[in-house]
Amino acid sequence: KKVLSLKEVEEVRAYKEELMRQSKTLLEHKLQRAEEKRQLQLKLKANEIAFINSLEAQNKRHDIMSKHQESEARLHDLMEERLRKLEEKQAKEAAVEERRKALEADRKARLLEMQEKRKLRDARIEQQQIEKEKDRLQAVRAKGKEREERMAALNAMQEAQKQELQKKIQQKQDETTQRHEEHLQHIRDRAFEMSIMRHSTEDHNDAPKLTPYDKNKLCIICNVLIPSEVYLLSHLRGKKHQQALRDNNSGKEMTKQEIEAFNLKHIVDAPDNSIHPKMITEKERQKSLKKRCKKLRQRMVTRGLEYENSLANKQQLADSEHKAKLHKVIKDINKYLQFHDSGPWPQNKVSALDRALGEVGR
């Protein structure tokens, strides 16, 4: 094989590159011509399409113009028809309005005539009604006056009968009430007489009733007020009344019937607002006891405070020889205070409490 030199290699390489460049240039030229042909064909095609579109547009414009002209013609015909109909309608309405005005004028004339006739008729009817109303009112007044007179007479008669009936009823009620009161009073008097007769002597030992009398009794011989059967028994069996019995009979013994008759005669109803002397004395005693109890309470409080102070200041009193006695006295005082009921203190308790307080003070 023949070995190429470096120069020859370079020449071969340059030749190949030239061939490749020429081939590339030729190819680019062919591509450019092909692109130009394609662009020319596209342009021709576009011009053809534009021409076709312009023809179609011209045809459409022609059709539209034709239709528009036809529409304008029809619209013109319609407007003329409407105007003609409107003129006919206006003419008809004018004729109708004329007829309506004529009819309205005729109606108003007839209405006015009818109103005049109606006014005359109404005036005539009203006058007749006024006359009838006057006659009716006169008849009503006459009937009313007659009815009022009859009612007044009837009411007067009924009122007289009513008053007479009420008077009779009231009289009967008063008589019944009086008889009832007399009967009750008779029963009370009889019961009181029986009570006097029962307690005048010692033959009967029945227990007296605690119920107060409806009205206080008075022994006019002894001048003693008797508010209940208990007081009656106490008085009849008492020394004062027994002495009055003996004095009345000149010191002689009286029989049972004489004693009962004497007591029935001299024990009568007491005057109103009479108060038994013993009741007055009892009230004064209760008032005095209340004052004394109040003073005793004050003394108890004072002595208690003194005792507490003495215990606080003198502790040696706890060992005093009177310790047992002092405790007993305090216990008694507590017992009196705890077991005391409401109301005034009895005299024995008051005295015992006073002695106990004195012992505490000593």
Side-chain angles (χ1 to χ4, degrees):
K1 293 182 181 179
K2 186 181 180 179
V3 179
L4 296 177
S5 62
L6 182 60
K7 185 177 180 181
E8 289 176 349
V9 171
E10 290 293 334
E11 289 177 357
V12 171
R13 184 179 295 172
Y15 179 72
K16 287 182 178 181
E17 289 178 357
E18 180 65 23
L19 288 176
M20 289 177 66
R21 186 182 62 78
Q22 289 177 0
S23 297
K24 184 178 180 181
T25 302
L26 182 61
L27 181 60
E28 289 177 356
H29 181 67
K30 287 180 179 181
L31 290 173
Q32 184 177 3
R33 287 183 63 188
E35 180 65 23
E36 289 176 356
K37 287 180 180 181
R38 190 178 68 81
Q39 291 294 332
L40 181 60
Q41 289 177 357
L42 289 174
K43 186 175 181 181
L44 292 174
K45 188 68 174 177
N47 290 333
E48 184 180 357
I49 292 171
F51 178 72
I52 293 170
N53 290 334
S54 64
L55 288 177
E56 290 179 354
Q58 288 178 1
N59 292 331
K60 287 182 179 180
R61 281 197 300 272
H62 185 268
D63 293 338
I64 290 171
M65 290 299 295
S66 298
K67 290 180 180 179
H68 179 67
Q69 290 176 359
E70 292 177 359
S71 298
E72 288 290 335
R74 287 197 301 271
L75 183 61
H76 185 266
D77 294 339
L78 289 173
M79 290 296 295
E80 289 182 351
E81 183 68 21
R82 286 180 182 176
L83 288 174
R84 184 180 62 78
K85 289 182 179 180
L86 181 61
E87 290 175 356
E88 291 178 356
K89 183 179 179 181
Q90 289 178 351
K92 288 180 180 180
E93 289 179 352
V96 169
E97 183 66 20
E98 290 295 330
R99 287 196 301 273
R100 189 187 66 77
K101 288 182 179 180
L103 291 173
E104 183 67 19
D106 187 27
R107 187 185 67 79
K108 287 183 178 180
R110 288 198 305 272
L111 181 61
L112 184 61
E113 184 180 359
M114 290 173 63
Q115 288 177 351
E116 292 295 332
K117 291 181 179 180
R118 183 176 296 173
K119 285 182 180 179
L120 294 175
R121 186 177 68 252
D122 291 343
R124 186 172 62 256
I125 292 172
E126 185 178 0
Q127 185 64 30
Q128 292 175 357
Q129 289 179 350
I130 290 173
E131 295 296 332
K132 289 181 180 179
E133 185 66 19
K134 286 182 180 179
D135 296 338
R136 189 184 68 80
L137 290 176
Q138 289 178 357
V140 168
R141 282 195 291 270
K143 289 182 180 179
K145 185 176 181 181
E146 183 180 357
R147 184 171 60 254
E148 288 177 357
E149 291 176 355
R150 289 199 305 271
M151 290 298 294
L154 181 61
N155 291 334
M157 183 177 65
Q158 289 178 351
E159 186 66 25
Q161 292 176 354
K162 182 180 178 181
Q163 291 180 359
E164 184 66 23
L165 182 61
Q166 288 179 349
K167 185 177 180 181
K168 290 180 180 179
I169 292 172
Q170 186 64 36
Q171 184 177 0
K172 288 183 179 180
Q173 289 179 350
D174 294 341
E175 291 175 356
T176 302
T177 303
Q178 185 177 0
R179 286 196 300 270
H180 182 66
E181 290 295 332
E182 290 175 354
H183 181 65
L184 291 178
Q185 187 62 37
H186 177 71
I187 293 174
R188 286 193 290 267
D189 293 342
R190 184 60 183 165
F192 180 65
E193 291 175 0
M194 294 296 294
S195 177
I196 292 175
M197 294 171 65
R198 187 168 58 253
H199 298 304
S200 293
T201 61
E202 296 182 359
D203 295 342
H204 301 280
N205 291 320
D206 298 336
K209 297 180 180 179
L210 298 175
T211 306
Y213 292 135
D214 295 336
K215 190 173 184 181
N216 292 335
K217 308 299 179 180
L218 179 67
C219 180
I220 58 178
I221 296 296
C222 306
N223 194 24
V224 174
L225 193 67
I226 303 172
S228 67
E229 191 174 354
V230 175
Y231 283 90
L232 176 65
L233 175 61
S234 176
H235 177 67
L236 293 178
R237 304 288 178 87
K239 294 180 179 180
K240 186 176 181 180
H241 190 73
Q242 293 295 325
Q243 184 63 38
L245 290 175
R246 288 191 292 271
D247 293 342
N248 182 68
N249 201 26
S250 302
K252 298 179 181 180
E253 292 292 333
M254 299 175 66
T255 63
K256 177 181 177 181
Q257 289 77 13
E258 290 175 345
I259 293 173
E260 291 175 353
F262 180 83
N263 290 337
L264 289 173
K265 181 179 179 181
H266 294 91
I267 297 178
V268 297
D269 291 338
D272 295 335
N273 300 325
S274 299
I275 302 176
H276 197 282
K278 289 186 177 181
M279 295 175 66
I280 298 175
T281 305
E282 180 65 19
K283 288 183 179 179
E284 292 178 353
R285 190 179 72 83
Q286 294 288 345
K287 189 183 295 184
S288 176
L289 286 175
K290 286 181 180 179
K291 290 181 179 179
R292 189 171 181 183
C293 288
K294 185 176 181 181
K295 291 181 180 179
L296 284 174
R297 288 192 184 96
Q298 292 176 354
R299 288 180 60 189
M300 287 167 59
V301 173
T302 304
R303 295 292 178 83
L305 292 175
E306 291 176 356
Y307 177 69
E308 290 177 357
N309 292 331
S310 64
L311 286 178
N313 296 328
K314 298 179 180 180
Q315 295 293 333
Q316 63 270 20
L317 288 178
D319 299 328
S320 175
E321 58 182 3
H322 301 291
K323 181 178 179 180
K325 186 176 181 180
L326 187 61
H327 281 297
K328 182 178 182 302
V329 171
I330 293 173
K331 185 177 180 181
D332 292 339
I333 292 173
N334 289 329
K335 182 176 67 175
Y336 295 149
L337 294 175
Q338 290 175 359
F339 293 98
H340 171 63
D341 297 330
S342 60
W345 286 40
Q347 185 64 34
N348 57 347
K349 283 190 176 182
V350 173
S351 301
L353 185 61
D354 196 10
R355 286 196 301 272
L357 291 174
E359 291 292 336
V360 171
R362 289 194 294 272

